[in-house]
């Protein structure tokens, strides 16, 4: 009986491929650092400070001040309106002083581009 079992297993092993191609990796969408939190100017500056334009764009590596071709801003995970994973962010109350602070911050960001922040960089939308 043991001999028959050994022969059956040896024969079955002949039909098993030697090189098994792994299944493609499934991309699991997580969330950004500020997903579900207040998506205010301080949060955007934190994400911008950590952003590396030379590293592929992801939910934790994106320019929060970048706009898509329609002119829309991204959410706290770097997704734009119309994309499957877009979540409407929690926005702060806005007033004139807040808009002026945001204007100053945008002038700073535009005047100080990060090294590697060029069209076609892996960390940019385009």
């Amino acid at each position: 009986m043991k001999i028959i079992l050994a022969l059956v297993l040896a024969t079955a092993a002949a039909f098993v491929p030697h090189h098994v191609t792994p299944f493609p990796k499934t991309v699991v969408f997580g969330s950004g650092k500020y997903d579900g939190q207040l998506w205010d100017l301080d949060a955007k500056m934190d994400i911008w400070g950590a952003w590396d334009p030379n590293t592929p764009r992801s939910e934790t590596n994106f320019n929060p001040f970048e706009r898509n071709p329609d002119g829309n801003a991204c959410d706290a995970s770097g997704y734009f309106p119309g994309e499957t994973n877009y979540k409407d962010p929690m926005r702060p109350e806005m007033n004139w002083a807040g808009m002026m602070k945001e204007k100053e911050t945008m002038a700073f960001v535009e005047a100080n581009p990060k090294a590697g922040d060029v069209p076609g960089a892996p960390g940019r939308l385009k």
Side-chain angles (χ1 to χ4, degrees), residues 7-126:
L7 286 173
V8 170
L9 290 176
T11 305
F15 295 101
V16 175
H18 294 289
H19 175 69
V20 178
T21 304
F23 291 105
K25 292 182 180 178
T26 303
V27 177
V28 178
F29 294 101
S31 59
K33 182 177 179 180
Y34 290 95
D35 193 39
Q37 299 178 39
L38 188 62
W39 188 229
D40 62 357
L41 191 57
D42 292 334
K44 291 178 183 180
M45 285 302 293
D46 181 39
I47 296 296
W48 183 78
W51 173 55
D52 179 7
N54 297 307
T55 302
R57 196 173 198 282
S58 70
E59 293 172 336
T60 56
N61 186 58
F62 64 94
N63 181 351
F65 300 110
E66 189 173 32
R67 301 284 180 151
N68 71 2
D70 295 332
N72 295 315
C74 63
D75 68 4
S77 296
Y79 294 106
F80 293 94
E83 292 183 320
T84 305
N85 296 321
Y86 177 80
K87 297 175 209 134
D88 196 23
M90 292 174 44
R91 294 179 177 92
E93 292 289 325
M94 190 53 70
N95 56 30
W96 181 256
M99 289 190 294
M100 292 298 102
K101 182 179 178 190
E102 191 170 278
K103 182 178 177 182
E104 290 173 10
T105 301
M106 287 306 302
F108 173 80
V109 168
E110 291 169 2
N112 297 292
K114 291 194 161 211
D117 183 10
V118 295
R124 286 186 54 160
L125 184 62
K126 289 207 176 213

